[in-house]
Each structure stands twice: as C-alpha cells, then as structure tokens.
Amino acid sequence: MELQVNQVIEELSKIDSATEQIILSAENEKEDYSSAIESWKKEYEDSLINNMNQNIESYKLKIQSHNQRILQQYRTETEALLSKLDAAYQENHSAWANEIFKKLISE
C-alpha cells in the first residue's frame, strides 16, 4: 500500500512538473507575442507618421504653388491698374489741377 501511495505521489509530482513547464512555456510565448506585437505596432505607427508627413509636405508644396500663381496674377493685375492710372494722370493731370484750382477759388 505504501508503494502505491509513493507511486501516486511520484506521478502527481511529474504532473505538477509538467504543468509548471507548460505554464512557463506559455508565459514565454506570451512575452514573445507581446514583443512582436509591440514591434509591429511601432513599425505601423512609424509608417503612418512617415506617410502623413509626406502627405503634409506634398500638400504644402501644392498650396505654395497655388499661392504663387495667385500672387503673380495679383501683381500683374495691380501693375496693369497702376499703368492705367499713370496713363490717366499723364493725360489729365493739367485738367484735374485746373479743375481743383477753380473749385478752390470759387468757394
């Protein structure tokens, strides 16, 4: 009877050791998966940030180009208007001066 009890205890001890090994193995696998997931997550975040920065830079260049075109258009229009004003002044400044002088005198 004592031999059977010792055998049962020995079998239970083997089962306990095997269970302990399974638990340790599972914990190690869990740590490995956790590390792999963190690595993938970091790669994905870095990829997203890189992609977002490229899109932002592309958008900035597009906006700058658009703004330069609009600015050039405004410069051209302004120069044309100034040219017209200068031509009107050159043509009419004597008449305008006489008219202003007449109004000042009449008041």
Side-chain angles (χ1 to χ4, degrees), residues 25-74:
S25 176
E27 286 177 1
N28 288 338
E29 283 184 37
K30 179 182 171 185
E31 288 176 15
D32 291 344
Y33 284 131
S34 179
S35 295
I37 288 171
E38 284 300 316
S39 175
W40 293 334
K41 182 178 154 185
K42 175 135 178 52
E43 286 176 21
Y44 181 71
E45 286 175 352
D46 290 345
S47 173
L48 282 178
I49 289 170
N50 187 28
N51 190 18
M52 183 176 60
N53 286 337
Q54 286 176 350
N55 288 341
I56 288 171
E57 191 60 33
S58 173
Y59 185 71
K60 272 170 55 176
L61 292 174
K62 181 179 172 183
I63 292 296
Q64 285 175 347
S65 174
H66 178 72
N67 287 345
Q68 288 298 327
R69 283 193 309 273
I70 289 174
L71 232 107
Q72 185 57 43
Q73 180 182 352
Y74 287 157

Side-chain angles (χ1 to χ4, degrees), residues 71-93:
L71 232 107
Q72 185 57 43
Q73 180 182 352
Y74 287 157
R75 279 189 190 114
T76 303
E77 290 172 3
T78 303
E79 287 173 3
L81 288 173
L82 285 173
S83 179
K84 284 181 182 179
L85 282 173
D86 189 45
Y89 173 78
Q90 293 300 329
E91 187 177 321
N92 300 314
H93 74 282

